[in-house]
Amino acid sequence: MSKEKPNVPVYYFMGLLESGKTSVIKDFLQNNQFAKAECNLIILGEEGEEEIDEELLQESHSKIIVVEDVEELSTEFYQELQKKYNPSSVLIEANGMWNAGDYMNIPLPEEWFDFQNIGMVNAETFEVYQKNMKDRFVDLFRYCELIIFNRCDHETRQQDIRRNVRVVNRRAQVIFESDLEDFVEEEPELPFSIDKDEIELELDDYGAWFVDMQDHPDHYDKKRIIFDGYLCSAQKDGVIHYGVGRVGMACCADDMMFLGISGTGVPFKQLNHRKDERKWGKVTGVIHVKYDSNGEIDNLKMKVEAFTEEKKPEDTIVYFN
């Protein structure tokens, strides 16, 4: 007998206290899809000023389960809830101080499946909190495919915020919301023109280019890019891999990542093929994008045409704030 497919969608709502998680859950419950459900199960990891009133809970056929500690969450705990409530959907409002990996990696009951992870951020306090709790935001950016910055105003640095998110999770959709009537959500701005066949990047432009290239690789297909960065070789499982790029800082000095793409070309011959090696200098290469039969991006590479080794500047880190 074949096993039934999971049919209970699980929604995770992440964010610090008073970031707007409960407000979004209330919006969900007022949606026809949820209002007509037999049972919406809400697991609350924290209770803020915003509450879900009893009338809405009854109208949406919702039940609330409050947990005090992330250690209360487990596969066994979820299975008990499944047996007791047989929910149509599960909405988990996580405590903003929990480590996301502690609950996102818990195996779900066979009837449940991870449907959507939503991150909520109060734009009014984002910059202050980010300085002191960067790891919390990196967690949120990493796990959520939809991130909503609410309470925005004309001073909200949308471009910087978008780049902060995309360097951690290039697939995340970022939305800016405001109660101001004249508030406008900005289109991403680039410090260089993409209309030319040859684009030369300033040292500080690499981060913006890398994020935009990940989002819109088709904009750069067959274009020549010139930038200051590393020519690299790395050995893995006995195979030599080549690439070009820079090192970026997502949140702090302990969370560095290589922002690069695979490379081919004669200039890589100057590297030592028997060990990992990097050389800093001027990279010139052409981006090549390969698509699969469905029109999706299958491969992204740079064919390096030239590399001139240069003295490395004192600070080569790519910053996103």
Side-chain angles (χ1 to χ4, degrees), residues 73-297:
L73 302 179
S74 65
T75 304
E76 293 72 25
F77 175 68
Y78 291 152
Q79 288 171 336
E80 290 177 7
L81 295 179
Q82 170 63 29
K83 291 178 182 178
K84 183 174 182 179
Y85 297 103
N86 191 28
S88 306
S89 63
V90 179
L91 298 86
I92 301 176
E93 180 178 334
N95 187 305
M97 300 309 295
W98 291 348
N99 291 319
D102 290 345
Y103 57 89
M104 293 295 297
N105 294 325
I106 297 174
L108 299 174
E110 61 181 14
E111 298 87 352
W112 298 9
F113 67 98
D114 185 350
F115 184 75
Q116 189 174 34
N117 307 330
I118 301 171
M120 302 299 300
V121 183
N122 180 347
E124 292 177 332
T125 58
F126 171 64
E127 291 193 20
V128 175
Y129 284 162
Q130 189 195 30
K131 291 178 181 178
N132 301 309
M133 294 185 285
K134 284 187 176 181
D135 57 332
R136 290 287 170 263
F137 288 106
V138 170
D139 253 4
L140 186 148
F141 297 162
R142 180 175 291 128
Y143 283 98
C144 294
E145 57 259 21
L146 174 62
I147 301 169
I148 302 172
F149 285 80
N150 52 48
R151 299 170 226 183
C152 296
D153 59 26
H154 302 304
E155 302 301 316
T156 301
R157 301 196 299 171
Q158 297 183 41
Q159 306 302 332
D160 289 342
I161 289 173
R162 188 177 278 112
R163 284 192 286 269
N164 265 279
V165 173
R166 292 286 168 78
V167 71
V168 177
N169 180 359
R170 70 181 181 86
R171 298 184 182 277
Q173 179 184 5
V174 183
I175 295 176
F176 297 94
E177 295 183 344
S178 175
D179 292 331
L180 301 176
E181 292 184 1
D182 60 345
F183 178 81
V184 177
E185 185 169 357
E186 302 171 1
E187 290 294 324
E189 294 178 356
L190 297 172
F192 51 84
S193 173
I194 63 170
D195 298 329
K196 302 176 181 179
D197 290 333
E198 181 175 292
I199 301 172
E200 185 162 4
L201 306 175
E202 297 293 332
L203 188 66
D204 292 335
D205 295 345
Y206 185 87
W209 170 75
F210 181 81
V211 170
D212 194 60
M213 181 190 60
Q214 300 296 315
D215 288 342
H216 309 289
D218 52 302
H219 290 178
Y220 300 96
D221 191 23
K222 305 299 189 297
K223 292 194 175 185
R224 180 172 288 103
I225 310 297
I226 304 171
F227 68 94
D228 295 303
Y230 289 108
L231 192 74
C232 310
S233 68
Q235 186 176 112
K236 184 178 181 181
D237 298 328
V239 179
I240 299 294
H241 300 272
Y242 299 109
V244 294
R246 297 262 301 276
V247 175
M249 186 168 74
C251 75
C252 56
D254 293 330
D255 197 11
M256 298 288 192
M257 62 181 69
F258 186 68
L259 310 175
I261 58 175
S262 297
T264 61
V266 174
F268 288 103
K269 290 185 177 180
Q270 61 187 276
L271 299 176
N272 188 328
H273 303 283
R274 290 169 295 181
K275 66 176 182 179
D276 297 353
E277 186 178 11
R278 291 180 183 177
K279 287 188 176 182
W280 176 271
K282 182 76 69 178
V283 179
T284 300
V286 177
I287 298 294
H288 291 276
V289 182
K290 183 179 178 182
Y291 301 86
D292 62 20
S293 58
N294 297 317
E296 298 292 327
I297 303 297

Side-chain angles (χ1 to χ4, degrees), residues 13 16-29 42 44 46-53 56 64 93 120 151:
F13 298 85
L16 297 176
L17 188 65
E18 308 306 333
S19 62
K21 300 191 295 289
T22 305
S23 296
V24 173
I25 290 177
K26 289 170 68 174
D27 290 341
F28 269 58
L29 297 180
I42 305 168
L44 292 183
E46 63 183 359
E47 297 179 275
E49 292 183 8
E50 184 85 15
E51 295 183 353
I52 304 173
D53 60 71
L56 178 58
I64 289 181
E93 180 178 334
M120 302 299 300
R151 299 170 226 183

